[in-house]
Amino acid sequence: MTGLILKDMLNLKKQGKVYLILIIFYFVLGLVNENSSMFTSMMTMVAVLIPLTAMAYDERSNWDRYALTMPISRKSMVMSKYLLGLIFLAAAFVISILLNMFFSDMPIAENIITSLVNISAGLILMASIFPLLFKFGVEKGRILMMIVIFIPVAAVVMISKLGVPMPGEEQLKHLLYFLPIIGTLVFIISIYVSMWIYKKKEF
Amino acid sequence: MEYALKLENVTKVYKDFMLDNINIALPKGSIMGFIGENGAGKTTTIKLILDLISRDGGTITVLGKENRTEMDSVKENIGVVLDESSFPENLNAREINNILKKIYKIWDEDKFLKFLDKFSLPQDKSIKDYSRGMKMKLSTAVSLSHDSKILILDEATSGLDPVVREEILDTFLDFIQDETNSIFVSSHIISDLEKICDYITFIHKGKIVFSETKDELMENYGILKCSPEEFENIDKDLVKGMRKNKFGIEALVLKNEIKGSYLIDRASLEDIMIFIIKEQVQ
């Protein structure tokens, strides 16, 4: 497993530089505005994009077929991608909390909750697209991914257009408290779904 | 006899192609060449052996272990070279060394670095800048730098220039010096296999045509050259393939069973393969 994660990290060195510049840019922006929300969302996006890019590289070089002839199980192949995403999400979480702590006067509880909500969104995003990527590959999966992201947005717009009353601020707050639990749950289920998909995959 | 690789009645069904009751047995300590046209089922068979695709019937054992349930215990001992190098392209050989050190329990770093040297593979160059020959040499180095007891090679020498092919073949011959090691190698470059193999297995349209020792093949088959009239008198059961030209008839025959004095030349592996494939087309 460490071997697989090391492989992705080394392989993505070049992209890493681009992401790093992006992250620094938003970091500085966050500092100037004393608001880290843009920065956290950016970090979350990058955390999702990194395993996705790694998968695209694997696909292009037919790596999976080769890796499975090594002492690597199909389960580890799947797990390594989730872990890769998780590592960067965790980093995003910590940096975002530190940023708020030192450069804004946000109360600590609010700080942790905002960061948690952001990371949960990352978890849910990863959880919903990974099984698609494992099933259809990055090329085809990309289109489906757009749809997956589009559906909830469309649903919200539809519902508001239909005149269904929007949840009040209190209800939303409750929902936000539950988001980390929902995120974790969805993430774990997603791992099992991906493993099930990958187990049957032919190379 | 102990077998390094054994396939019994292995079947895989696709919509337009079928691997039909494949039986292969590779004794420990030997090299088996796996020959056939493009699309005959060589790569499919190798994928089945490596459990990269699911089979529809039969059993496969690698180094005595069932390849679906017990494969994990034996993967350390399998070296694989596939028809294309499969390392992500931003990596270089030094990084690959560091990665594989973590993947294989027994990884011989010294040996790997020596191979890089021997094959003149630069350590700091990205894989994407490697030529096809360099990539194949890199895979070969990897396949030999862990605790391999069997090499499974799919078209490992195709598309390479003769010098590189020779280098790679020599490395394989070194490997087989240890009599517990075995090699299963598919190729359509038959001259390569003729040089190194003990056994030849010939697959055609998803079926095994024969699986014999090379010496037996060379001894049994011959190319008969005769006139059409003479050909009439020959027992057709002994003819495995024939072609007409303006000088008469050339036929692949079981030479030891032909009675009478005819002109029979030595048949090369390539002759055997081509005659048999042509016969099936007619």
Side-chain angles (χ1 to χ4, degrees):
Chain A
M1 187 83 79
T2 40
L4 288 176
I5 290 174
L6 179 68
K7 180 221 83 190
D8 284 336
M9 298 265 194
L10 289 173
N11 193 39
L12 292 178
K13 264 183 323 211
K14 274 196 199 116
Q15 278 70 21
K17 280 176 203 148
V18 178
Y19 288 142
L20 201 65
I21 292 171
L22 217 64
I23 286 169
I24 292 172
F25 174 76
Y26 280 96
F27 183 81
V28 173
L29 205 69
L31 281 187
V32 173
N33 295 338
E34 291 188 1
N35 180 349
S36 73
S37 66
M38 277 292 272
F39 169 76
T40 324
S41 335
M42 200 54 222
M43 280 285 285
T44 311
M45 271 316 284
V46 168
V48 179
L49 279 177
I50 282 175
L52 199 142
T53 318
M55 276 190 234
Y57 271 109
D58 287 355
E59 195 172 300
R60 187 159 6 144
S61 55
N62 236 327
W63 159 257
D64 289 38
R65 193 183 65 170
Y66 187 39
L68 287 172
T69 72
M70 298 175 181
I72 297 172
S73 68
R74 291 190 178 222
K75 279 184 182 166
S76 323
M77 292 293 284
V78 173
M79 260 326 266
S80 73
K81 290 292 183 285
Y82 278 92
L83 269 179
L84 189 68
L86 216 50
I87 289 171
F88 285 96
L89 270 184
F93 179 64
V94 173
I95 297 175
S96 136
I97 284 183
L98 290 179
L99 188 70
N100 285 333
M101 228 152 85
F102 292 112
F103 300 105
S104 78
D105 40 18
M106 199 184 265
I108 188 80
E110 197 189 329
N111 177 0
I112 291 178
I113 286 174
T114 354
S115 302
L116 265 180
V117 166
N118 236 310
I119 296 324
S120 310
L123 282 180
I124 292 171
L125 187 60
M126 241 188 257
S128 39
I129 60 177
F130 275 24
L132 290 173
L133 297 176
F134 279 116
K135 174 79 185 169
F136 299 103
V138 178
E139 280 307 314
K140 275 185 249 165
R142 213 169 262 175
I143 302 161
L144 288 165
M145 207 174 80
M146 295 299 173
I147 298 171
V148 166
I149 297 169
F150 176 73
I151 287 173
V153 177
V156 169
V157 172
M158 282 282 279
I159 288 168
S160 66
K161 280 266 155 60
L162 286 175
V164 178
M166 281 281 131
E169 203 169 316
E170 269 311 297
Q171 283 163 297
L172 264 180
K173 239 182 190 162
H174 278 299
L175 192 68
L176 287 187
Y177 285 125
F178 280 114
L179 206 56
I181 302 167
I182 297 171
T184 313
L185 226 62
V186 173
F187 195 74
I188 293 169
I189 293 169
S190 169
I191 292 177
Y192 280 103
V193 173
S194 292
M195 280 183 176
W196 180 74
I197 289 169
Y198 201 78
K199 202 175 134 191
K200 293 184 168 178
K201 207 167 172 181
E202 306 224 316
F203 291 93
Chain B
M1 200 185 297
E2 250 189 292
Y3 294 101
L5 177 67
K6 199 161 188 195
L7 283 77
E8 285 174 297
N9 305 318
V10 172
T11 304
K12 171 82 181 170
V13 185
Y14 287 108
K15 249 181 263 156
D16 48 356
F17 177 74
M18 176 176 177
L19 266 193
D20 196 0
N21 273 296
I22 301 289
N23 286 289
I24 295 173
L26 166 63
K28 260 192 188 154
S30 26
I31 306 185
M32 179 180 280
F34 191 39
I35 63 173
E37 307 153 273
N38 289 329
K42 297 191 297 286
T43 299
T44 307
T45 307
I46 284 180
K47 283 182 177 173
L48 283 168
I49 294 170
L50 296 170
D51 196 32
L52 293 174
I53 54 178
S54 66
R55 58 177 181 265
D56 298 316
T59 55
I60 300 176
T61 52
V62 183
L63 299 171
K65 305 280 186 193
E66 210 284 327
N67 85 328
R68 276 196 296 207
T69 51
E70 306 171 302
M71 194 66 156
D72 287 343
S73 62
V74 89
K75 272 177 162 179
E76 290 276 345
N77 307 120
I78 306 177
V80 178
V81 180
L82 297 169
D83 55 352
E84 53 182 315
S85 159
S86 309
F87 286 106
E89 47 190 25
N90 292 338
L91 300 175
N92 61 37
R94 196 161 32 84
E95 291 166 342
I96 286 171
N97 176 48
N98 289 331
I99 293 164
L100 294 179
K101 223 192 296 187
K102 294 218 159 46
I103 289 180
Y104 286 101
K105 273 194 212 110
I106 299 176
W107 175 253
D108 193 336
E109 188 170 357
D110 283 345
K111 202 169 171 189
F112 182 68
L113 297 177
K114 265 185 206 141
F115 270 124
L116 294 184
D117 238 22
K118 183 179 162 195
F119 289 150
S120 16
L121 297 171
Q123 290 190 27
D124 294 319
K125 201 171 184 172
S126 294
I127 302 303
K128 65 166 169 283
D129 298 323
Y130 271 27
S131 70
R132 184 180 153 82
M134 291 162 89
K135 286 182 190 168
M136 294 316 272
K137 285 198 268 190
L138 179 67
S139 305
T140 307
V142 171
S143 74
L144 292 165
S145 301
H146 57 270
D147 191 19
S148 311
K149 295 196 165 59
I150 180 170
L151 295 185
I152 295 177
L153 315 164
D154 189 14
E155 302 284 357
T157 57
S158 325
L160 301 181
D161 66 71
V163 182
V164 177
R165 263 171 35 212
E166 195 70 32
E167 270 180 283
I168 290 188
L169 289 180
D170 282 344
T171 332
F172 293 154
L173 286 174
D174 276 347
F175 173 76
I176 208 80
Q177 289 303 311
D178 180 339
E179 279 170 17
T180 56
N181 289 345
S182 326
I183 301 181
F184 184 73
V185 49
S186 92
S187 183
H188 55 250
I189 303 179
I190 301 191
S191 57
D192 284 352
L193 299 182
E194 211 159 6
K195 260 181 247 167
I196 62 169
C197 291
D198 308 306
Y199 291 82
I200 299 288
T201 297
F202 177 27
I203 187 169
H204 182 58
K205 289 191 179 155
K207 286 194 170 107
I208 300 292
V209 180
F210 59 72
S211 185
E212 288 176 56
T213 66
K214 186 177 70 189
D215 299 341
E216 250 174 315
L217 282 173
M218 294 298 147
E219 221 164 90
N220 292 340
Y221 287 100
I223 303 288
L224 168 75
K225 289 177 177 163
C226 63
S227 66
E229 296 78 43
E230 281 175 305
F231 190 68
E232 289 299 305
N233 298 325
I234 286 171
D235 183 354
K236 293 297 174 291
D237 283 347
L238 305 179
V239 177
K240 296 296 169 196
M242 58 94 80
R243 63 177 170 223
K244 283 185 187 134
N245 59 29
K246 58 184 171 183
F247 304 113
I249 281 177
E250 280 187 316
L252 180 74
V253 294
L254 296 171
K255 66 179 174 193
N256 300 328
E257 291 171 49
I258 298 254
K259 309 265 182 314
S261 60
Y262 293 99
L263 178 65
I264 299 180
D265 285 345
R266 182 182 169 278
S268 70
L269 260 183
E270 197 147 347
D271 292 331
I272 297 174
M273 182 172 139
I274 289 170
F275 270 104
I276 289 178
I277 289 173
K278 276 203 172 150
E279 185 67 14
Q280 302 224 346
V281 171
Q282 280 161 9

